[in-house]
Amino acid sequence: MSEVKLSAETRTEFGKGAARRIRRDNKVPVVLYGHGSDPLHLTLPGHDLLLALRTPNVLISLDIDGKSNELAIPKAVQRDPLKGFLEHVDLLLVKRGEKVTVEIPVHVEGELAPGGNLLEHVLDALPVEAEATHIPEQVTVSVEGLAAGASIHAKDITLPNGVSLAVEEDAVVIQVLQAQAEETEGEAAEGEEAAEA
């Protein structure tokens, strides 16, 4: 679990105009909430935050106005749909030792059994409960030799110590689908003739 330190400034201006000004200065408007406290409106350096968010569930250590330090994890990220830059980020306040529910990416390795079968990710990310400072970056699942009809359930995935499922044990995470047989040219021509008759 990587921890990234970022300098944050409190902000007092709100609304679209203020948000545009913040983004023009290469910063991002952020709201920090949690633990029953009032939401705290901040700005963070845009480039540094963008780099930090490349790691799923990154732990962010916030130095707020040089006065206080808080730990947070990303909860919601809004990006510009065309250009991809960060428009707004919601951060959830966490404490060391506290358990949080997050989704961690599912990484697949291995080759399916021969036959051109298809691998379907029913869940791209696995909901788990973990200590805020020990959230795994991903879980790895082997599909080596799996044939059509096989599936991997949440309970089949090995989790690191201190991490537990936050989803039904029988939830399907990955399944192998049988490849659709392609029509040969002769069969397709026969079908067309039958349709014309």
Side-chain angles (χ1 to χ4, degrees):
M1 177 87 218
S2 55
E3 184 174 325
V4 177
K5 292 185 189 315
L6 294 177
S7 295
E9 300 168 358
T10 52
R11 60 186 166 101
T12 53
E13 289 186 305
F14 307 101
K16 287 186 177 178
R20 279 193 203 102
R21 282 193 295 280
I22 290 168
R23 287 192 286 271
R24 261 198 308 271
D25 289 340
N26 294 320
K27 295 182 179 177
V28 179
V30 171
V31 176
L32 175 67
Y33 64 94
H35 292 283
S37 58
D38 291 335
L40 192 56
H41 299 270
L42 307 168
T43 60
L44 290 174
H47 182 69
D48 294 344
L49 182 57
L50 187 64
L51 290 177
L53 292 175
R54 287 186 177 168
T55 303
N57 301 310
V58 64
L59 186 65
I60 300 173
S61 175
L62 297 169
D63 178 10
I64 302 172
D65 295 328
K67 298 175 187 170
S68 66
N69 282 300
E70 299 288 357
L71 287 176
I73 57 173
K75 202 62 183 169
V77 178
Q78 293 175 4
R79 295 177 187 270
D80 180 273
L82 297 176
K83 297 180 182 171
F85 62 80
L86 296 174
E87 289 190 330
H88 185 272
V89 176
D90 285 345
L91 296 176
L92 181 63
L93 192 62
V94 295
K95 300 212 179 303
R96 292 189 191 281
E98 174 187 9
K99 292 258 189 181
V100 292
T101 301
V102 293
E103 293 188 348
I104 54 175
V106 176
H107 175 72
V108 174
E109 65 181 17
E111 296 289 324
L112 295 175
N117 294 319
L118 303 172
L119 192 64
E120 180 186 18
H121 288 257
V122 179
L123 295 177
D124 284 328
L126 186 67
V128 298
E129 187 179 70
E131 191 181 318
T133 54
H134 292 92
I135 299 171
E137 289 187 18
Q138 66 182 22
V139 288
T140 302
V141 178
S142 173
V143 295
E144 189 65 41
L146 292 183
S151 58
I152 296 175
H153 296 87
K155 65 183 175 190
D156 301 328
I157 297 174
T158 304
L159 297 172
N161 285 340
V163 179
S164 58
L165 290 174
V167 66
E168 292 292 324
E169 287 187 350
D170 291 331
V172 176
V173 179
I174 291 170
Q175 60 187 5
V176 182
L177 304 176
Q178 187 166 1
Q180 297 295 319
E182 293 183 23
E183 286 185 320
T184 63
E185 286 182 25
E187 289 173 344
E190 284 172 20
E192 285 171 20
E193 285 170 13
E196 288 171 5

